[in-house]
Amino acid sequence: MDENYGNFGENGFGGEKKKRSKPDFSKLKRVIIVVLVVLVVAMAGMSCWYTVDDKQQAVVTTLGKITDVTDAGVHFKLPFGIQKVQKVNVNVYQTLELGYRTDYSSQEGYTVIEEESKMITGDYNIVNVEFFVEYKVSDPEKYLFGSYEPELILKNLVQSQVRNVVGSTTVDSVLTDGKESVQRQVKDLVTEVLQQYDIGLMLVDVKIQDSEPPTEEVIEAFKAVETAKQQAETVVNEAMAYQNARLPEAEAQADKLIQNAEYLKQNRINEAVEQVAMFEAMYKEYKNDPEITRSRMYYEAISELLPGVKVYIDASEGSVETILPLESFVDAQPAQSVVYGQQGGAQ
């Protein structure tokens, strides 16, 4: 056999060794670098923009220093953490619950927190008062960097002022008709203190969610008081309704009496004026001829005093007698006849 036969397995049929090619790592490095550059540019481009919705404001910090506060819209910022953006809801009412927590898993729908709700009133009674607070962010810069946990500060402040107000109010007012006054006082006090603290929060409203005594016996007693007050209001409303129904009728009757009195007054005035006018006319005639006027007045007085008597006037001169009737001759009613002479004497 050929001596080269032993090298067949190592070098192949020809017996010669083949040279292996080395891999080209330079191209791979360039590809990796290009990919990394593209990724960095894409990440930088994506981190250069941020969007703020209409309910928010954004506080921009540059290397830890506040540099801008932006409103709704699309805005530009420096990438790679040079500028950071913190968005804050400023046009949204946020809520705070004191004395209870909403819990839909429970039968009542809420859970009472007695260490927050139990208070002492001004007349040394114990009540459970639950408050519902609405607030909003008024200054996002001060809200983020002006204090630590501003919501906790607001909660402690409201609790403190609530206890002050309830502690100076009677139990009847807290449980019945004084709730609005308590709410108003708490809101005014908290608003005043918030202006001093200046933590970037603004109080919108404070409402008493519920107030009740700690025992069932007292609860029933106050329910009876409320029922009595409602019944009293019902009676008052019925009385007012009766008054409103009868008052127009009484006013109409009063107007009628007043108008009638005015009519009688004017009638008496007119009669007086007429009598004055008649008296003045009579006086004028009297001045012209006193004798005739006196006779006429005498005859008229007789006619008025004796309405059933016919009066005749004797106007005779000498031997000729003339009788003049004072009324019409055609009057058919029988009447007593009286004749007066020229001097007014009856015949």
Side-chain angles (χ1 to χ4, degrees):
M1 295 180 63
D2 191 352
E3 59 182 357
N4 294 325
Y5 179 78
N7 297 326
F8 176 79
E10 180 181 357
N11 299 324
F13 290 101
E16 297 180 356
K17 294 183 178 180
K18 294 184 178 180
K19 296 182 179 181
R20 296 179 179 178
S21 61
K22 296 180 179 181
D24 190 358
F25 291 102
S26 60
K27 292 183 179 179
L28 180 60
K29 289 179 180 180
R30 287 196 296 271
V31 171
I32 294 175
I33 291 172
V34 170
V35 171
L36 289 176
V37 170
V38 171
L39 289 176
V40 170
V41 172
M43 292 176 62
M46 294 176 62
S47 62
C48 286
W49 303 95
Y50 66 95
T51 303
V52 182
D53 62 30
D54 57 352
K55 297 180 180 179
Q56 298 176 331
Q57 283 185 332
V59 179
V60 181
T61 57
T62 304
L63 299 177
K65 183 179 180 180
I66 299 174
T67 56
D68 194 10
V69 177
T70 58
D71 296 323
V74 180
H75 304 276
F76 173 80
K77 71 179 182 67
L78 297 178
F80 307 116
I82 298 175
Q83 284 188 327
K84 294 182 179 180
V85 177
Q86 291 180 271
K87 301 176 183 179
V88 180
N89 292 325
V90 295
N91 294 326
V92 177
Y93 288 168
Q94 303 184 50
T95 61
L96 182 64
E97 298 172 340
L98 296 178
Y100 74 103
R101 300 292 184 274
T102 300
D103 184 8
Y104 296 107
S105 61
S106 63
Q107 184 177 0
E108 294 81 5
Y110 64 93
T111 302
V112 176
I113 311 298
E114 290 191 357
E115 57 268 21
E116 294 180 359
S117 64
K118 187 170 292 185
M119 305 178 191
I120 299 178
T121 62
D123 49 0
Y124 303 104
N125 288 289
I126 298 176
V127 293
N128 292 330
V129 186
E130 301 166 4
F131 278 85
F132 178 79
V133 180
E134 285 185 328
Y135 68 95
K136 62 181 294 187
V137 177
S138 59
D139 189 328
E141 180 180 342
K142 294 178 180 178
Y143 170 76
L144 292 173
F145 304 103
S147 62
Y148 180 73
E149 295 186 359
E151 284 87 357
L152 181 60
I153 295 175
L154 176 62
K155 177 182 177 181
N156 294 333
L157 176 59
V158 173
Q159 277 187 302
S160 174
Q161 299 303 328
V162 164
R163 294 185 183 277
N164 288 338
V165 174
V166 173
S168 60
T169 308
T170 62
V171 65
D172 290 339
S173 297
V174 175
L175 296 179
T176 56
D177 57 354
K179 294 181 181 179
E180 292 185 1
S181 176
V182 173
Q183 294 172 174
R184 184 176 61 255
Q185 293 181 58
V186 171
K187 182 178 180 181
D188 293 341
L189 291 172
V190 173
T191 301
E192 182 179 355
V193 177
L194 279 179
Q195 292 176 354
Q196 298 176 0
Y197 286 0
D198 200 13
I199 59 176
L201 293 179
M202 180 181 67
L203 186 65
V204 177
D205 198 7
V206 177
K207 291 187 179 298
I208 294 179
Q209 188 74 5
D210 192 14
S211 60
E212 60 183 8
T215 61
E216 291 295 331
E217 293 80 3
V218 181
I219 291 176
E220 293 299 326
F222 275 101
K223 286 182 178 179
V225 172
E226 284 295 320
T227 302
K229 288 183 177 179
Q230 292 177 1
Q231 292 176 352
E233 291 179 358
T234 301
V235 173
V236 171
N237 292 334
E238 291 176 353
M240 293 298 296
Y242 178 78
Q243 175 185 346
N244 294 333
R246 297 299 300 270
L247 187 60
E249 181 181 352
E251 290 178 348
Q253 185 67 21
D255 291 339
K256 182 178 180 181
L257 294 175
I258 292 173
Q259 292 177 2
N260 189 29
E262 288 292 336
Y263 169 77
L264 295 176
K265 171 186 173 182
Q266 191 62 39
N267 190 30
R268 294 294 297 273
I269 291 174
N270 294 336
E271 289 180 356
V273 171
E274 181 181 359
Q275 290 178 1
V276 169
M278 291 176 62
F279 179 80
E280 290 179 349
M282 187 179 297
Y283 180 70
K284 183 177 179 181
E285 294 296 329
Y286 179 80
K287 288 177 62 177
N288 293 333
D289 196 340
E291 188 65 27
I292 296 177
T293 304
R294 279 198 302 267
S295 300
R296 179 179 177 183
M297 292 174 62
Y298 177 76
Y299 298 151
E300 290 178 351
I302 292 298
S303 299
E304 292 178 0
L305 293 174
L306 302 173
V309 175
K310 292 184 178 181
V311 179
Y312 297 90
I313 301 173
D314 184 5
S316 61
E317 293 183 2
S319 60
V320 180
E321 294 183 357
T322 305
I323 299 177
L324 300 176
L326 194 60
E327 59 184 2
S328 176
F329 287 104
V330 298
D331 189 359
Q333 294 182 358
Q336 182 180 357
S337 298
V338 179
V339 180
Y340 293 90
Q342 289 182 341
Q343 303 301 323
Q347 297 181 358

